[in-house]
Amino acid sequence: MTTTNQIKNENGVWEEGIAREITFIVTKDCQLACKYCYLVGKNGGERMDFELAKRVVDYVLTCDVFKNDRSVVWDFIGGEPFLEIDLIDKICDYIKTEMFRLNHRWFNSYRFSFATNGINYHTPKVQEYIRKNHSHLSIMMTVDGTKLLHDMNRVYKDSDRGSYEDVVKNVPLWQSQFPNAGTKVTISHSNIDFIKDSVLHLFSLGIGDVNINCVFENVWEPGDDIRLENQLMQLADAIIDNDLYRTHTCSFFWEALGKPMTSNENWCGAGKMMSVDAAGNFYPCTRFAGYSLRSKKPIIIGNIEEGINLNKLRPFLSLDRITQSPRECLDCEIASGCAWCQGENYDAAETDTIFQRSTAICLMHKARVRANNYYWNKLFRKLEMQGLREEWDKTKIKCNTTIC
């Protein structure tokens, strides 16, 4: 088995974005009640059973729907997944055993993936799990930024107390084990003015890659786009003036952002992934499960008893940019990098359709593009003055090309 945490195919490259994603909703419980969380139905009563999880693994490993997939990501979410580390450990042991027994094509082309709030990261059971599976493991820990910003939104459900101190104490351990791992910052109306200080704070903690995105929900108020642009321009100045662009990345600055679209691919992977809950129901992604939806009914594409219903899955496989975008989006000259969430599209739609794209982040995307242009114009001028532009073009000195 490979000894790195970047599992590689026969060409030596992990096929990011191509691997099949199978998500286990192991619990709907969490220690936190983050104020921007899209999981509106979290609770402590729904926990996956190991015997059901085994049946899901058996089904996935033998199902014709997945027979052409060369790689797989086994994803574990909650709530907070590490609340169920004993269960997850047993599931992963079973996955590895069965892939070996079946001589399955995924045996050495898989990852176990987690997004965690970081609170339980240091505990002995979590650390033992990491030790066992490190070479096939990806873990993203969520830290919003400064203590003020983090504690503004990421609070304990039982006391409204901020969680910053309990999370940040685990960052050095996490970074020592996964030095290339990034964190994710979520931007909503209330925290726009903290973006610059928070990204720089995360850099100071030793986190080199900050994925940052605006929520897709319609929470924005007049003037939020100008606030976002101002913050990103200040952040651009700080990154470039202090040469942080050489060693750090922030996904708000992406060289290909804000150009006309040439691809018709769907931004979201719904339908090319599968989620399963404690009841054994299959979803095209977690955002179509009931606890993720504000106003719509869940979309279930099958269950462990009957398998995946291809007729229910088929509409998701036909989704692309054209089938769901309004004319203004198709004609937009800065469309590249404008993201959407299929589940939010469905939840915000006027009817029960998945073919109506939500455009709540339109002004925020345009603000991001303006700031992104400022960033790259300033950086390229600096590189040219230093005689380094040609070197940049050749080597792309760890440039900011991450898509959030």
Side-chain angles (χ1 to χ4, degrees):
M1 297 176 70
T2 182
T3 58
T4 72
N5 68 346
Q6 293 287 327
I7 309 309
K8 299 176 180 178
N9 62 17
E10 63 272 19
N11 297 317
V13 179
W14 171 261
E15 296 177 343
E16 196 72 51
I18 300 176
R20 175 70 63 169
E21 185 171 323
I22 308 296
T23 299
F24 292 82
I25 305 173
V26 292
T27 179
K28 293 182 180 177
D29 196 11
C30 184
Q31 308 99 317
L32 304 182
C34 300
K35 296 178 182 178
Y36 50 61
C37 185
Y38 66 86
L39 299 175
V40 295
K42 289 189 294 188
N43 65 82
E46 296 180 69
R47 173 189 180 274
M48 183 170 287
D49 176 80
F50 178 56
E51 293 303 316
L52 183 140
K54 288 171 59 178
R55 294 176 64 193
V56 173
V57 173
D58 293 341
Y59 175 75
V60 169
L61 292 179
T62 58
C63 179
D64 285 345
V65 173
F66 310 122
K67 65 182 179 181
N68 294 322
D69 300 312
R70 296 188 298 179
S71 305
V72 65
V73 175
W74 303 95
D75 186 33
F76 298 90
I77 69 168
E80 166 53 37
F82 284 146
L83 289 175
E84 294 292 343
I85 189 60
D86 289 334
L87 171 64
I88 290 170
D89 190 30
K90 291 171 65 177
I91 295 172
C92 292
D93 282 350
Y94 185 74
I95 289 171
K96 292 182 289 184
T97 299
E98 287 302 291
M99 289 194 300
F100 176 80
R101 185 181 67 81
L102 296 170
N103 192 26
H104 200 282
R105 63 193 175 280
W106 292 343
F107 175 64
N108 199 39
S109 191
Y110 72 93
R111 283 185 189 171
F112 297 135
S113 177
F114 297 82
T116 176
N117 60 32
I119 293 171
N120 290 354
Y121 189 84
H122 66 289
T123 58
K125 288 183 178 180
V126 172
Q127 287 301 303
E128 174 60 18
Y129 172 85
I130 291 172
R131 185 196 65 76
K132 287 173 56 177
N133 297 285
H134 186 269
S135 63
H136 287 267
L137 196 58
S138 296
I139 299 178
M140 184 187 72
M141 186 182 297
T142 300
V143 188
D144 268 3
T146 63
K147 175 177 171 58
L148 177 62
L149 173 58
H150 186 99
D151 286 348
M152 181 185 301
N153 288 306
R154 302 188 66 80
V155 298
Y156 282 94
K157 65 180 180 181
D158 56 352
S159 65
D160 206 39
R161 176 174 62 89
S163 59
Y164 176 87
E165 298 293 347
D166 294 331
V167 176
V168 168
K169 71 180 182 183
N170 290 324
V171 168
L173 175 60
W174 167 55
Q175 285 290 294
S176 71
Q177 294 169 330
F178 302 97
N180 296 319
T183 191
K184 181 180 179 182
V185 177
T186 300
I187 301 301
S188 61
H189 166 76
S190 63
N191 58 11
I192 294 173
D193 297 328
F194 299 88
I195 293 175
K196 184 203 76 172
D197 289 344
S198 289
V199 173
L200 296 178
H201 179 70
L202 293 170
F203 287 168
S204 74
L205 293 177
I207 300 172
D209 181 22
V210 176
N211 292 291
I212 184 168
N213 66 280
C214 295
V215 299
F216 294 104
E217 289 80 6
N218 189 13
V219 300
W220 308 108
E221 298 183 7
D224 282 352
D225 55 326
I226 304 303
R227 294 166 62 208
L228 176 65
E229 182 180 359
N230 290 337
Q231 278 290 301
L232 293 183
M233 290 177 66
Q234 293 177 43
L235 177 60
D237 287 338
I239 291 175
I240 295 170
D241 292 347
N242 294 288
D243 291 335
L244 294 172
Y245 63 91
R246 294 179 176 272
T247 53
H248 296 74
T249 62
C250 174
S251 62
F252 260 146
F253 302 125
W254 173 38
E255 196 171 353
L257 176 72
K259 295 177 172 58
M261 281 293 294
T262 58
S263 170
N264 190 38
E265 293 182 3
N266 190 20
W267 179 276
C268 178
K272 298 178 181 179
M273 57 182 81
M274 185 189 77
S275 295
V276 59
D277 65 10
N281 292 318
F282 297 156
Y283 305 91
C285 95
T286 303
R287 288 296 297 257
F288 290 90
Y291 81 139
S292 300
L293 298 168
R294 300 182 304 275
S295 59
K296 299 289 174 62
K297 294 180 180 179
I299 294 184
I300 299 173
I301 58 170
N303 58 67
I304 193 57
E305 301 295 336
E306 301 173 353
I308 294 175
N309 185 324
L310 294 179
N311 286 328
K312 293 182 178 180
L313 179 62
R314 190 169 290 111
F316 289 89
L317 301 181
S318 68
L319 283 163
D320 57 31
R321 180 168 170 260
I322 290 177
T323 57
Q324 60 188 302
S325 298
R327 174 53 57 184
E328 63 178 317
C329 295
L330 297 177
D331 294 340
C332 182
E333 295 183 352
I334 58 169
S336 64
C338 186
W340 61 85
C341 166
Q342 213 65 57
E344 174 57 22
N345 287 355
Y346 168 66
D347 210 10
E350 298 166 357
T351 65
D352 289 342
T353 181
I354 60 172
F355 291 94
Q356 181 176 326
R357 177 175 166 184
S358 171
T359 58
I361 65 167
C362 178
L363 290 179
M364 306 307 284
H365 171 70
K366 292 176 179 178
R368 179 190 174 194
V369 169
R370 294 193 297 270
N372 185 69
N373 291 341
Y374 173 84
Y375 175 93
W376 290 103
N377 286 334
K378 178 168 182 170
L379 177 58
F380 287 153
R381 285 198 304 271
K382 178 173 182 175
L383 293 173
E384 288 168 356
M385 291 178 63
Q386 295 176 340
L388 298 175
R389 176 63 189 271
E390 184 176 350
E391 177 187 351
W392 175 277
D393 290 338
K394 287 181 179 179
T395 63
K396 297 294 184 182
I397 311 169
K398 199 182 180 186
C399 59
N400 302 338
T401 56
T402 304
I403 305 175
C404 65

